[in-house]
Amino acid sequence: MRPEVLNPLFVEVDALDGIGPKLKKPLDKLGLTRVRDLAYHLPERFVTRRAVENLDEASVGEHVVVALTPTEHKSPYGRGPYRVLAQDSVGNICTLTYFGRASYTAKKLLPVGEKRWVAGKIDEYDQMLQIVHPDHVVEESDDTLTRLCEPVYALSEGLTQPRISGLVDQALDRLPHLPEWIEPAQFEAEKWPTWRDALKLAHKAEHESARERLAYDELLANSLALMLVRADNRKRKGKSLQGDGSLRDKLQLPYSLTGAQARSVSEIEGDLAQETPMLRLLQGDVGAGKTVVALMAMLVAAEAGTQAALLAPTEILARQHFETLRNMAASTGVQVALLTGRDKGKARESILMGLMDGSIDIVVGTHAIFQDSVSYKDLALVVIDEQHRFGVAQRLMLANKGKSTPHTLAMTATPIPRTLTLAQYGEMDVSRLDEMPPGRQPIDTRVVAQERLSDVADGVARHIASGQQAYWVCPMVRENEAEDIAAAEARYASLKERFGEDVVLVHGQLKPEMKDAAMERFASGHAKLLIATTVIEVGVDVPAATLMVIEQAERFGLAQLHQLRGRVGRGAEKSVCLLLRGGALSETGRERLALMRDTQDGFRLAEEDLRLRGGGELLGTRQSGDTPFRVASLEQITRLLPKAHDDARILMERDGGLTGLRGEAARILLYLFERDWGVQMLRGG
């Protein structure tokens, strides 16, 4: 149960003054549904203004507060702006400009001949000073002058800065006094404010110490919750799985395992032999051969007379894993089945029966394999592919499917920097596949100017004419999927004119069956060119595709570019990746593309990506799959997470866990950041 002291923070935002259905919609869009969400909706930046006596003291581009007296209102011709001419104390003229409906506000706020205090940014238009949409217009100076430093919040349509600011103020007024959860010696050394003061300060001005303390709280809550999961896992009873090698000996692989694969298999075997359930993350670079390692683990489970399940995030990936595993395991005689949400009728019933009577050894599927209607005879190992797409809560659901807690092997195809591995998988042991299978050729990566688009299209034509296949990835327009799709559809239309039926299109808004049909045409070789948004980033495996074109590559993160490049180079033929770059390249963009050209090492690229993006850029505004944090920036995670991890360990090992005074405070912290699954673990799951 959530501690009562937190109840004021978890009431719905409707409880605040001035919120009706109309305002609730834009708040919902931003994820601001409770008072707590508003309190943690931290400013993106601050506007600092200067109070001036008259406009002679102000510079163009500066934010000021100045006394002005309106002299004339000018209604627009047609759809132009509404303008109010006003003068300062020495007669300088300034235009106050309003667009759209804001003109109604101007009429009320700026009566002719009456002095008003105006806050806003000085611009120049047509050789006259102007302020477009003043931030504030008030009769008395006191109120405005106190706003010389003002927060700027992320908005959605229907919200204004003053409105969200007022709601945040109401949320801050409801903050309770909470006990301190940070280790006392550290709290003293860092000279951080208390939790309540830190939140208030973070909304009032650029206050580094306050922001840092709030980030640390979030990292501490996460570290502590993951440690509680790990401690709980150690207490649970799993099943010791000791294979006799009989099935693995029958495997007929066309290659021998790399050193990294053999080491990972051995680490997994060691874990499976214990009664404590395995919690291991298998981190592989693109093409490093995770699937064969996962198959080895699942064959150990089958040799021990139990069942294994592989959970994939999408149906396309589930089908692909199923085909790969079935082909690899054909010589062993194990029964591999596929179960997705689309399976209906007798086919589904037959699979459910096979899982229940134990005749199916390995099942591959989407989350459908964990629905209530699915029962297993003896599920002892769960392999989760693309782990980052499933939260800890989903992971915990799996524990209820076996007779005892199943062993868990999580796989991620994206190499993750060590710091972020600790942040996301702090409760897991890690195996790294940092070695490429022999015979895999490096992918020839070239950076090409976007102006050479027609040359690139000619190259694609020659490539297809030679009987090979290609991918064409369209630019990623930040935060706007509709624009992504429009770009992909426009490129598809232009290339279809040239290549006809050889071209297929895949994007995130297509119905699953249409997406699958397009992918199937490409995988079977009937289509030669696949145009896509980033939905092909992970797991698509078409060995005959040997050319990858990525438009406006500078818009993608390094990890994402590396993933996309990894879709080619999967067969015996040499592969090429063309990174098309736009004209206005930032220094970071230039460095990112140079790194892609110069290295194929995903682990190095992951660390460099963190360095390039780490300059205080807030998480969540970039690739949302990156981390589970809303407050901590990448730079803060890198710097503060090791401290938070140590602090959580001290709390667990020295300070009595969640008992005692500090433990009670830490329990409140877990609920505050909704990591309370950690507390539930402590209660025995």
Side-chain angles (χ1 to χ4, degrees):
M1 273 252 313
R2 185 191 302 130
E4 272 184 39
V5 70
L6 292 178
N7 287 347
L9 294 173
F10 282 86
V11 296
E12 298 288 309
V13 287
D14 315 43
L16 301 177
D17 294 340
I19 294 189
K22 198 173 171 188
L23 194 56
K24 205 167 177 312
K25 233 181 185 172
L27 288 172
D28 283 353
K29 245 186 185 165
L30 290 169
L32 307 177
T33 58
R34 301 154 311 177
V35 169
R36 177 212 176 278
D37 305 325
L38 276 166
Y40 274 98
H41 189 58
L42 299 177
E44 292 187 322
R45 59 191 171 86
F46 288 86
V47 171
T48 305
R49 300 192 187 91
R50 193 164 65 87
V52 295
E53 290 288 326
N54 57 62
L55 294 167
D56 291 332
E57 296 177 16
S59 311
V60 171
E62 191 179 6
H63 290 267
V64 299
V65 178
V66 63
L68 297 173
T69 304
T71 57
E72 186 186 349
H73 283 243
K74 288 189 162 187
S75 295
Y77 299 107
R79 300 186 65 178
Y82 187 89
R83 300 182 193 278
V84 181
L85 297 184
Q87 63 181 29
D88 66 10
S89 57
V90 295
N92 293 313
I93 299 291
C94 179
T95 308
L96 306 176
T97 306
Y98 290 86
F99 291 90
R101 292 182 180 173
S103 59
Y104 302 123
T105 317
K107 289 171 188 170
K108 271 194 225 161
L109 289 178
L110 294 157
V112 170
E114 293 188 26
K115 186 166 86 169
R116 292 290 183 264
W117 289 85
V118 179
K121 183 183 174 187
I122 300 283
D123 284 321
E124 203 168 18
Y125 175 73
D126 215 7
Q127 296 184 324
M128 272 185 77
L129 294 179
Q130 74 163 352
I131 297 175
V132 179
H133 286 282
D135 299 330
H136 301 285
V137 176
V138 292
E139 288 183 48
E140 296 296 324
S141 67
D142 300 353
D143 183 33
T144 307
L145 289 174
T146 59
R147 295 194 184 121
L148 288 178
C149 184
E150 193 166 49
V152 177
Y153 294 101
L155 299 176
S156 62
E157 199 178 339
L159 274 177
T160 61
Q161 290 296 344
R163 178 56 64 91
I164 196 121
S165 214
L167 294 174
V168 167
D169 285 346
Q170 285 189 61
L172 295 176
D173 287 342
R174 291 171 174 246
L175 295 181
H177 289 275
L178 299 181
E180 188 51 71
W181 42 72
I182 296 173
E183 203 272 324
Q186 188 182 357
F187 183 67
E188 276 302 307
E190 300 286 357
K191 296 191 166 45
W192 281 333
T194 63
W195 168 78
R196 193 167 183 271
D197 288 346
L199 255 181
K200 292 192 168 197
L201 287 166
H203 285 278
K204 295 302 170 225
E206 296 279 4
H207 200 295
E208 201 176 317
S209 175
R211 284 297 273 249
E212 191 154 295
R213 191 245 144 93
L214 296 175
Y216 185 81
D217 289 345
E218 186 176 38
L219 298 170
L220 178 61
N222 198 67
S223 296
L224 186 55
L226 293 177
M227 276 184 199
L228 288 166
V229 170
R230 193 181 178 100
D232 170 78
N233 195 63
R234 285 194 178 129
K235 288 197 309 240
R236 285 177 182 267
K237 202 142 173 63
K239 189 172 197 168
S240 166
L241 303 181
Q242 302 207 20
D244 56 8
S246 57
L247 295 174
R248 283 168 290 167
D249 289 345
K250 291 180 187 169
L251 268 184
Q252 293 170 358
L253 298 173
Y255 47 79
S256 52
L257 297 184
T258 65
Q261 285 174 320
R263 184 182 67 236
S264 297
V265 168
S266 159
E267 288 166 349
I268 291 163
E269 275 181 26
D271 286 356
L272 293 175
Q274 308 300 315
E275 285 197 343
T276 301
M278 169 172 75
L279 263 185
R280 184 169 285 277
L281 175 70
L282 179 63
Q283 248 202 333
D285 200 348
V286 177
K290 289 179 301 298
T291 313
V292 70
V293 175
L295 175 61
M296 292 286 199
M298 292 191 275
L299 290 177
V300 172
E303 287 167 3
T306 63
Q307 293 165 298
L310 190 152
L311 173 65
T314 65
E315 208 161 300
I316 291 177
L317 278 174
R319 286 182 187 285
Q320 210 162 281
H321 276 308
F322 168 65
E323 295 295 344
T324 307
L325 290 172
R326 191 174 59 172
N327 293 337
M328 272 185 181
S331 58
T332 67
V334 297
Q335 288 302 305
V336 184
L338 173 71
L339 181 64
T340 70
R342 256 204 277 170
D343 294 305
K344 301 279 183 283
K346 284 187 177 166
R348 179 181 168 83
E349 275 172 36
S350 149
I351 294 167
L352 294 183
M353 191 56 73
L355 292 173
M356 209 186 295
D357 66 20
S359 57
I360 291 174
D361 304 293
I362 296 171
V363 65
V364 180
T366 54
H367 57 271
I369 61 179
F370 294 110
Q371 286 168 344
D372 290 344
S373 56
V374 183
S375 299
Y376 294 80
K377 183 182 182 191
D378 192 0
L379 178 66
L381 170 65
V382 176
V383 179
I384 307 175
D385 188 30
E386 285 314 299
Q387 169 62 48
H388 67 280
R389 303 201 191 179
F390 301 96
V392 176
Q394 284 110 315
R395 253 184 265 169
L396 302 181
M397 277 168 46
L398 314 184
N400 305 323
K401 280 291 176 188
K403 288 179 181 173
S404 49
T405 302
H407 295 276
T408 303
L409 176 66
M411 304 196 294
T412 172
T414 314
I416 305 166
R418 288 181 188 278
T419 318
L420 298 188
T421 304
L422 187 63
Q424 281 175 288
Y425 309 111
E427 84 286 22
M428 294 185 159
D429 297 305
V430 180
S431 294
R432 283 164 75 110
L433 294 178
D434 46 13
E435 211 179 310
M436 280 296 160
R440 276 206 73 150
Q441 299 184 49
I443 296 158
D444 181 6
T445 306
R446 305 171 200 167
V447 179
V448 181
Q450 185 84 15
E451 299 90 81
R452 292 183 54 200
L453 196 66
S454 60
D455 294 347
V456 171
D458 292 344
V460 170
R462 289 192 296 275
H463 186 79
I464 289 173
S466 73
Q468 297 182 79
Q469 291 171 274
Y471 295 100
W472 189 301
V473 176
C474 291
M476 184 176 74
V477 181
R478 195 157 164 183
E479 303 296 331
N480 192 333
E481 194 181 16
E483 286 182 44
D484 281 0
I485 290 161
E489 285 175 338
R491 182 62 66 225
Y492 171 66
S494 69
L495 291 171
K496 193 169 171 63
E497 271 182 38
R498 179 163 187 173
F499 298 112
E501 292 305 307
D502 275 343
V503 188
V504 287
L505 171 69
V506 175
H507 60 67
Q509 292 288 300
L510 280 181
K511 287 183 176 156
E513 51 273 23
M514 289 176 73
K515 199 188 295 181
D516 283 359
M519 293 299 291
E520 182 48 47
R521 278 200 67 213
F522 186 67
S524 63
H526 290 108
K528 301 295 183 193
L529 178 60
L530 175 70
I531 295 168
T533 54
T534 53
V535 292
I536 60 155
E537 190 182 323
V538 167
V540 178
D541 191 4
V542 182
T546 52
L547 173 63
M548 167 66 71
V549 178
I550 304 173
E551 270 194 74
Q552 292 182 31
E554 71 276 7
R555 291 187 172 187
F556 297 86
L558 271 175
Q560 210 170 16
L561 286 172
H562 183 59
Q563 277 297 322
L564 289 167
R565 175 169 63 183
R567 298 309 100 218
V568 296
R570 294 173 163 257
E573 299 289 326
K574 181 144 185 64
S575 289
V576 175
C577 174
L578 300 180
L579 304 173
L580 302 193
R581 60 163 177 81
L585 212 58
S586 68
E587 200 46 53
T588 304
R590 199 178 303 281
E591 199 175 337
R592 199 178 276 158
L593 296 184
L595 275 162
M596 279 298 295
R597 191 185 55 220
D598 297 341
T599 183
Q600 316 252 328
D601 178 348
F603 287 97
R604 183 185 162 204
L605 287 171
E607 296 292 348
E608 291 290 344
D609 199 24
L610 182 65
R611 180 181 65 79
L612 289 175
R613 291 196 288 124
E617 193 170 68
L618 273 187
L619 287 163
T621 59
R622 290 297 306 240
Q623 299 162 358
S624 54
D626 269 348
T627 80
F629 305 119
R630 288 191 60 169
V631 181
S633 69
L634 280 168
E635 184 273 328
Q636 286 169 326
I637 293 169
T638 309
R639 196 162 38 81
L640 296 175
L641 187 67
K643 287 183 188 176
H645 196 72
D646 289 345
D647 193 1
R649 202 169 58 242
I650 288 169
L651 177 64
M652 293 290 288
E653 292 172 6
R654 187 194 77 187
D655 297 349
L658 297 193
T659 56
L661 276 177
R662 188 172 171 226
E664 280 303 315
R667 184 184 294 265
I668 290 171
L669 171 72
L670 288 168
Y671 276 97
L672 176 66
F673 279 99
E674 295 175 285
R675 300 295 200 277
D676 40 288
W677 34 261
V679 183
Q680 284 149 24
M681 295 267 84
L682 207 65
R683 297 211 193 100

